[in-house]
Amino acid sequence: MEIDQDARRDTPQHSPAPQDSPAPQDSPAPRRRRAPSARRVLLASVAGSVVLAGVVTLVPLLAAESAPPALGPVGRAQAAYGAGVPAALPDLAALIGDREAHVRRHPADEESWAVLGSAYVEQGRRTADLTYLAKADDALKRSLATRSGEAGNVEALAGMAVLANARRDYAAAKKYGEAAAAKAPERWTLYPQLIDAYTGLGDDKAVGKALEKLQELRSGSAVMARTAQVYRDRGWREDSAAHLYDAAALAETPAEQAAYQHRFGELLFERGEPEQALRYFEAALRTEPEHHASLAGKGRAQRALGRTSEAMVSYQAAIAKQPRPEYALELGELYESLGMEPASQAQYEQLRARVEEESAVGVNDALVLGRFEADHGDPEAAVRRLTAEYKRQPGREVSDALGWALHRAGKSKKALGYAKRAMKDGPMSALFAYHRGEIERQIGKYGAARRHLEQALRINPHFSPLLAPYAQEALDALGEPPEGGPENMHGKGTQPTEPTAPTPTPAPVNSAPAAPSSSPKPTGTPSASPSPSPAATRSPSKSAAPSKSPERPLRSPDPADERGPKISPSGA
């Protein structure tokens, strides 16, 4: 199979990293198999790797016989993919155009079809243009029709795993990812896709094994960032921040640096530090103006700081550039918290319309739609939807959402098991803690309810414009722990005589807003004693042993730090 001359000019021929941007010395190049024939040149191989949630990457298999040409946009995209980091959007567009032209001339080139399919997925995810997901499906199926996965078309299998993760079809991502890994177990870029799939399926053991294999095969910024995400999902936020900081020290491109600045901003917001989070979101946008997810992060932080007008503008810009249903839900709830009912209803309608559009190209939005229905629509419909989703993909996010929907539908005793599962060895989530606290309060577990409501507000007092005030109201309604010591606090002794206050949760659509609790409140102030961190009581796996130091505030890296200031919110 010959390479056309215009593609040769932009395609590096022997190394995934350009000569003028050498890979870190601790990041050995991925292993490659030689082509069976001297005439056969491997154009590029798709082996998707998500550096952070929402970043799809490719890995080229490049011939080693000829000297590398000067890198143009296509070559830069190939080099970025080979390093497991995101490419700049203009370079990605150039790669797509190059491969489209190539497959028109060489329609039997299964490898270029696979490259094109995975590039379409990344373009679709980062621009929210759903036509790219449909194009990706066609290109990858064309590749498999030319050469099947059983015959060794690992590139197309990996691309199908990338597409399935983008559609949030984690069972399919697992199937394709494991099939690819069985054919090419040393290809490191397969394992981030498997980690995403196993996380969505709630298989923590498989996540740990995939991370072990990834760390065994590769080091460098992409692996550090992936490790940071796994640690965050386990609730080890301080260790997550340390790995993310180290990844940033090795960042070589603006797209990569913006991704790490954005993730650092998310960590800071999750810790209830919106002012610091805002600095990082703004830095990501200065580094890469097209990093649209940081517009939504910016709106989240501005809302927490009370800068609601600016928050609305940021959210509106994010939705205009990347109309994700999650952003419409967040903006709708911001409007609702301000009493702007028509504006909130408009956002909820936009959410429904976007879900319908995404469903047409195979995107699974059961989670966001179930959460929306539980708080703003029909809780019974949310239970049905999320029960089906849990049977397919029992990840922590779905477990939490199903528990909350059951509670909203009046089935709080059944809900508690799902709420507990969501928090077991999971992320330090204020939303999860609030949901569990309200469920426990409803069924009379007052000590546990008080503990989890306090935990929610301690983790992040700004976690939701609607629910955070309700969490404080619920905590005030519970008052101080009853006399009698820990036994009574945990509901094993005499229960309080007053009834629990009604759960202050959002009212369904088109109904009046829920009023603050009017039940008699015990005297005194809420207990402020901190509850143990879920992460502090577990034993880390051998492959991912975080430090045991107590959690400390995430710091802005010192520009004088010899490890590198690349994650600095200054964007320098």
Side-chain angles (χ1 to χ4, degrees):
M1 178 177 60
E2 300 296 329
I3 301 180
D4 48 289
Q5 293 302 314
D6 57 336
R8 187 183 295 277
R9 285 195 298 271
D10 274 329
T11 307
Q13 298 297 307
H14 72 90
S15 170
Q19 284 189 336
D20 59 349
S21 298
Q25 293 183 2
D26 64 342
S27 303
R31 305 177 186 178
R32 301 185 290 274
R33 292 180 296 177
R34 298 280 302 204
S37 167
R39 297 179 58 193
R40 182 173 181 82
V41 180
L42 296 180
L43 294 173
S45 134
V46 181
S49 167
V50 177
V51 177
L52 303 169
V55 178
V56 181
T57 60
L58 320 172
V59 59
L61 295 181
L62 305 169
E65 287 78 9
S66 56
L71 293 178
V74 175
R76 290 195 299 269
Q78 296 274 20
Y81 297 151
V85 300
L89 282 176
D91 292 348
L92 178 62
L95 174 62
I96 288 173
D98 177 83
R99 292 299 87 196
E100 285 176 337
H102 180 83
V103 295
R104 281 195 293 268
R105 291 187 296 271
H106 305 282
D109 183 354
E110 76 278 1
E111 290 163 356
S112 284
W113 279 113
V115 170
L116 181 59
S118 287
Y120 281 149
V121 176
E122 182 171 5
Q123 187 81 339
R125 292 183 69 165
R126 291 172 64 184
T127 65
D129 186 340
L130 299 177
T131 61
Y132 282 107
L133 296 186
K135 289 180 177 181
D137 189 77
D138 291 341
L140 292 166
K141 286 179 179 176
R142 179 71 175 267
S143 179
L144 287 171
T146 305
R147 185 183 181 207
S148 70
E150 290 78 6
N153 192 349
V154 175
E155 291 75 25
L157 290 174
M160 291 298 288
V162 171
L163 177 60
N165 274 325
R167 287 170 161 171
R168 292 184 283 276
D169 185 353
Y170 301 116
K174 175 186 175 182
K175 180 184 75 172
Y176 287 115
E178 289 182 344
K183 294 288 183 182
E186 303 304 300
R187 188 170 296 181
W188 70 274
T189 46
L190 296 173
Y191 295 95
Q193 293 304 315
L194 285 171
I195 288 172
D196 277 350
Y198 296 143
T199 299
L201 293 170
D203 191 342
D204 296 339
K205 185 176 181 181
V207 169
K209 289 183 177 179
L211 181 61
E212 282 184 20
K213 186 66 174 178
L214 176 62
Q215 293 170 332
E216 173 190 325
L217 293 172
R218 185 80 171 185
S219 60
S221 61
V223 176
M224 290 175 183
R226 169 55 54 183
T227 302
Q229 185 62 32
V230 173
Y231 285 174
R232 177 264 170 197
D233 291 341
R234 293 174 176 176
W236 303 338
R237 293 185 304 185
E238 196 64 19
D239 298 287
S240 174
H243 278 74
L244 192 58
Y245 183 82
D246 289 340
L250 299 176
E252 295 184 350
T253 67
E256 184 183 7
Q257 185 170 341
Y260 301 143
Q261 288 167 333
H262 172 79
R263 186 67 192 104
F264 225 81
E266 288 187 321
L267 282 173
L268 287 161
F269 184 80
E270 288 168 3
R271 287 185 64 118
E273 300 176 45
E275 187 170 1
Q276 290 295 320
L278 180 59
R279 294 175 61 207
Y280 280 91
F281 292 132
E282 290 176 336
L285 290 166
R286 287 194 300 271
T287 305
E288 188 185 23
E290 294 177 319
H291 199 271
H292 307 315
S294 289
L295 284 170
K298 185 177 175 181
R300 210 171 291 130
Q302 289 167 330
R303 183 265 302 165
L305 292 168
R307 295 158 56 177
T308 53
S309 296
E310 296 172 67
M312 292 176 199
V313 172
S314 296
Y315 270 123
Q316 289 162 357
I319 291 170
K321 298 288 187 179
Q322 195 177 34
R324 295 179 59 182
E326 296 89 336
Y327 300 163
L329 179 58
E330 289 181 36
L331 180 56
E333 290 186 339
L334 174 58
Y335 285 142
E336 187 173 340
S337 72
L338 298 172
M340 302 170 64
E341 188 68 16
S344 68
Q345 292 304 315
Q347 288 303 312
Y348 298 153
E349 288 302 318
Q350 186 169 341
L351 179 151
R352 293 188 183 97
R354 183 64 179 182
V355 165
E356 187 174 346
E357 291 172 3
E358 292 189 346
S359 177
V361 294
V363 177
N364 174 15
D365 282 318
L367 178 59
V368 66
L369 195 55
R371 282 177 167 164
F372 165 74
E373 288 171 335
D375 281 337
H376 308 285
D378 182 353
E380 292 288 354
V383 168
R384 291 191 295 271
R385 185 182 303 279
L386 291 167
T387 298
E389 182 69 1
Y390 186 84
K391 289 178 180 178
R392 292 179 61 244
Q393 308 185 142
R396 286 193 180 89
E397 297 282 343
V398 178
S399 184
D400 167 74
L402 176 55
W404 184 244
L406 285 164
H407 166 72
R408 292 283 286 150
K411 303 171 184 177
S412 298
K413 288 184 178 180
K414 186 176 180 180
L416 184 57
Y418 294 101
K420 287 181 176 179
R421 185 186 185 281
M423 292 186 69
K424 179 178 173 58
D425 298 332
M428 297 289 288
S429 169
L431 181 65
F432 287 11
Y434 167 71
H435 284 168
R436 182 171 173 178
E438 282 288 26
I439 292 167
E440 290 166 332
R441 192 166 75 101
Q442 184 65 33
I443 61 180
K445 293 182 176 292
Y446 304 116
R450 183 182 295 105
R451 185 167 66 254
H452 288 115
L453 291 170
E454 286 177 346
Q455 184 182 23
L457 294 171
R458 187 171 63 252
I459 291 171
N460 183 4
H462 318 289
F463 70 92
S464 165
L466 285 177
L467 301 182
Y470 289 136
Q472 188 61 61
E473 288 179 15
L475 195 56
D476 291 343
L478 288 169
E480 289 186 339
E483 296 181 1
E487 182 177 348
N488 286 339
M489 287 177 63
H490 292 281
K492 296 180 181 179
T494 305
Q495 296 290 341
T497 57
E498 74 278 3
T500 180
T503 301
T505 50
V509 172
N510 297 327
S511 68
S517 168
S518 58
S519 298
K521 301 180 182 180
T523 59
T525 58
S527 170
S529 58
S531 60
S533 166
T537 58
R538 76 180 308 279
S539 299
S541 69
K542 65 179 181 179
S543 66
S547 66
K548 298 182 181 295
S549 59
E551 203 167 84
R552 59 191 180 278
L554 298 181
R555 65 182 179 91
S556 299
D558 186 345
D561 193 320
E562 63 182 5
R563 290 189 297 173
K566 291 190 175 183
I567 197 138
S568 168
S570 67

